[in-house]
Amino acid sequence: MERTFVEKQIGRSTIKIETGALGKQAAGCVLVSLGETVVLTAAATSAPRPGLDFFPLTCDYRERFAAAGKFPGGFLKREGRPTTKETLTSRLMDRPIRPMFAAGFIDEVQVQAMVVASDRQNDGDVLAMIGASAALTISSMPFQGPLGSVRIGKIDGKLVAFPTADELEFSELDLIVSGTKDAILMIEGFAREMPEDEMTEALLEAHRLVGELCDMQLELRQKLGVAPSTYVSPEPNGLLEKLDAAYGAKLKAAKLIAGKQDRSEACSALKAEAIAAMIPDPKAEGAIELGALKNAWHDLEAKVIRASILEGTRPDGRGSKDLRGITCEVDVLPRVHGSAVFQRGETQSLITIALGTGRDEQRVDGLFEEYSKRFMLDYNFPSFSVGECRPIRGPGRREIGHGMLAERSVNPILPEHDDFPYTIRVISDILESNGSSSMASVCGATLGLMAAGVPITNPVAGISVGLVKEGEQWTLLTDILGDEDHFGDMDFKIAGTQNGITGIQLDLKIMGISEEIIRATLQQSREARIEILRAMLSTIQRPRETTAESAPRLVRTSINPEKIGLLIGPGGKTIRGIQEDCGVQIDVDEDGTITIAGPDQETVTAGLGRVEALTASVQVGRIYDGKVSSIKDFGAFIEILPGKDGLCHISELSDGYVASVGDICKVGDRMKVKVIAVDDQDRVKLSRKAAMAEAEGEKQPASTEA
């Protein structure tokens, strides 16, 4: 089989793109390799479906467990529905390539990526993004690429391209950037409160490497002798000009009506008026097609809104840097462990917090090592939030993506597990939506966590900044509305604290933005973020000192790992007995860390006492309330800790002469004894008379001098 490949060192990593041997019936198929991770990506296309009026692009990413020599967990040993990781990567593939197809192209396009080999260090997600661009670049489709995609980390203060999984554990940054040689197209990144200037530096370094990846794909296309494809967009049908002349001014006035619902109703009525006037009889010969007229009306809406914004007028009358009104409230729900409402304009997020134990952690399996998640943020977007009706089918790609963006933006400010051993779940239900509900979820989550008594290190807020660009003229829009998002060119979401950025996501409808726009957006978003944080902190200034009464109570202790078996007991009998007697839940880690959970403080204190009594080490000089377990001629054996006996010699039973041990005690008697020695063989020597003397000394009044 004939193979064609290009190979290049990017940073310290070697990337290889190969084609020609596999998937030859696809429009384009490549293998992209980094280390021993290999991703196969194929692109296919078919003629447009009749009546289609949009570009049907589908991207799909799948990880085969066998690529890492693993079997799927559970009963079924075949991969099923996409995991969260696969869904998020499918979105990463889609977002940068979607704007790169010629206007008017509506053929069906499908891009599929499969991880066919994994070294469990180099992630397949960025390789799939590179592969998507490469497969399209060598195809006959009118793809205006190529695009490069790169992951950047920051370790020990240095930017690192394509960091491994182990390195990302210590990295201050996990940043993915896609773009052309000329501009950045897509950003997805998370950091530990990184200042804007450092984030800009990372973005510029990523774009430099993106250019090298684009050069590789151009070299591959040249080796294959494939000419760039061309596409001639359909000639305009003139409907836009007719609608503009008849309804442009009226639509502009309608788009400036305050309130989303009133504005929507006015625009819908005007649209119905235009349809009735221009298509009086749909069955008449030469009648305008309804679909074509609706498309032209959509184009008129875009033209009107974009022109107004560039003239300095936003649909709701705000200035380009103005935020909508913000309302914050906490403790809006009873019984739950924390709750809040964050409202910005007509976007509203209801937050619910649930606190749990280690057993509530989410186990995540995949190509890499299985791990547990102790923090989860789930985002829900019911149809009523935008006044619509649609079937409820569970979370879609958008909901999963928005939830993960909010989750990873909040995660850096959570307390360490040792300081707050709870499992934390945040639910964001979007009850109203008109722009940037994912960033409302970030703000609401911060409020809810503080109300729940989670000791976050810093409050975090987020905002979305939009863009309208015509030629060299452009305007940035803080806190974009739904219409500004839909008809604008950019949705740039930035979340962070007063110290720096924790989450960043860029989606574009145009073919890239410049360094100047990026710098201006980061600065404008910071100003808005500080203003939002002030509003949030006026509602609740700091995390509460305690968790809600309805939340479980947790205490932690440590024992000698060698005593774990003693705590668990034969077949788990001992630990089950403590749990049943005290009404607690006990989790044991291999390092000897014990977590005890119960419904109230009294319960967990009782459980803790039982665990400590069972696993405590004998301390010389301490007095124990023991129980006589057996009697010998030379002394009594006394159990001072569960399973731990010591010998109280007959000479240590009393100050006076003792003729027989039985004169002092019998089996089952309680007796206070003091540990006077523990020998090299861990044998414990006890003294009753020493315990009695110490108790007597405590009873004597302190002496006074005349």
Side-chain angles (χ1 to χ4, degrees), residues 356-592:
T357 68
R359 298 186 187 184
D360 298 311
E361 292 184 0
Q362 173 70 59
R363 299 298 298 172
V364 181
D365 196 11
L367 291 180
F368 291 25
E369 293 296 330
E370 183 178 318
Y371 64 94
S372 287
K373 283 178 61 176
R374 59 179 287 259
F375 173 59
M376 293 150 275
L377 194 156
D378 297 324
Y379 167 102
N380 299 309
F381 192 87
S383 56
F384 66 76
S385 65
V386 288
E388 296 177 356
C389 299
R390 62 172 179 266
I392 300 171
R393 296 285 186 264
R397 282 188 174 187
R398 178 182 178 276
E399 288 171 296
I400 292 172
H402 279 29
M404 187 56 66
L405 171 62
E407 177 181 304
R408 295 192 66 184
S409 296
V410 172
N411 189 65
I413 53 92
L414 293 177
E416 294 294 330
H417 187 256
D418 289 343
D419 299 327
F420 193 77
Y422 287 90
T423 297
I424 306 166
R425 186 184 181 210
V426 178
I427 301 172
S428 174
D429 289 302
I430 304 304
L431 306 185
E432 295 181 54
S433 180
N434 188 15
S436 196
S437 55
S438 63
M439 294 297 96
S441 299
V442 170
C443 301
T446 297
L447 293 169
L449 290 168
M450 289 197 291
V454 179
I456 61 173
T457 58
N458 240 334
V460 59
I463 194 64
S464 182
V465 177
L467 169 74
V468 173
K469 184 175 185 293
E470 295 289 347
E472 297 302 314
Q473 184 183 5
W474 53 272
T475 298
L476 293 177
L477 305 170
T478 294
D479 187 12
I480 55 175
L481 301 172
D483 274 355
E484 292 172 333
D485 182 10
H486 183 71
F487 296 111
D489 298 319
M490 178 179 84
D491 181 6
F492 204 155
K493 302 180 180 76
I494 302 105
T497 68
Q498 61 181 345
N499 297 329
I501 294 169
T502 58
I504 182 170
Q505 186 183 86
L506 168 66
D507 288 323
L508 288 175
K509 298 185 181 76
I510 56 176
M511 294 172 60
I513 55 175
S514 64
E515 177 185 342
E516 180 186 10
I517 294 176
I518 290 173
R519 288 185 182 276
T521 302
L522 293 181
Q523 178 57 36
Q524 192 161 318
S525 71
R526 177 174 175 78
E527 294 169 2
R529 186 168 78 242
I530 298 301
E531 187 175 342
I532 294 170
L533 285 170
R534 289 196 187 103
M536 292 165 56
L537 294 176
S538 68
T539 302
I540 180 169
Q541 291 187 348
R542 60 184 61 86
R544 293 207 168 108
E545 296 295 330
T546 59
T547 57
E549 290 186 7
S550 56
R553 291 293 179 263
L554 299 183
V555 294
R556 305 184 86 191
T557 188
S558 295
I559 66 172
N560 187 332
E562 295 178 358
K563 295 191 175 184
I564 291 176
L566 174 64
L567 174 60
I568 294 174
K573 180 180 179 180
T574 304
I575 196 170
R576 281 200 307 270
I578 297 174
Q579 291 180 133
E580 292 169 4
D581 292 346
C582 299
V584 296
Q585 173 186 305
I586 302 175
D587 294 319
V588 182
D589 293 339
E590 293 180 358
D591 64 355

Side-chain angles (χ1 to χ4, degrees), residues 132-190:
S133 172
L136 291 166
T137 297
I138 64 173
S139 75
S140 60
M141 286 180 264
F143 177 68
Q144 301 173 39
L147 296 172
S149 300
V150 64
R151 170 177 265 115
I152 295 288
K154 191 167 189 178
I155 303 163
D156 295 330
K158 296 181 180 179
L159 296 174
V160 177
F162 299 106
T164 64
D166 287 346
E167 289 172 329
L168 283 173
E169 291 290 323
F170 305 99
S171 178
E172 302 171 45
L173 175 68
D174 182 3
L175 177 68
I176 296 176
V177 177
S178 290
T180 64
K181 286 174 66 68
D182 300 321
I184 289 175
L185 255 169
M186 193 281 298
I187 301 170
E188 181 96 6
F190 304 94

Side-chain angles (χ1 to χ4, degrees), residues 587-610:
D587 294 319
V588 182
D589 293 339
E590 293 180 358
D591 64 355
T593 300
I594 309 297
T595 305
I596 304 169
D600 53 56
Q601 194 62 45
E602 183 179 354
T603 301
V604 297
T605 300
L608 177 63
R610 290 280 297 274

Side-chain angles (χ1 to χ4, degrees), residues 103-104 231-241 292:
Y231 177 79
V232 179
S233 299
E235 289 292 327
N237 54 22
L239 289 177
L240 174 60
E241 289 74 16

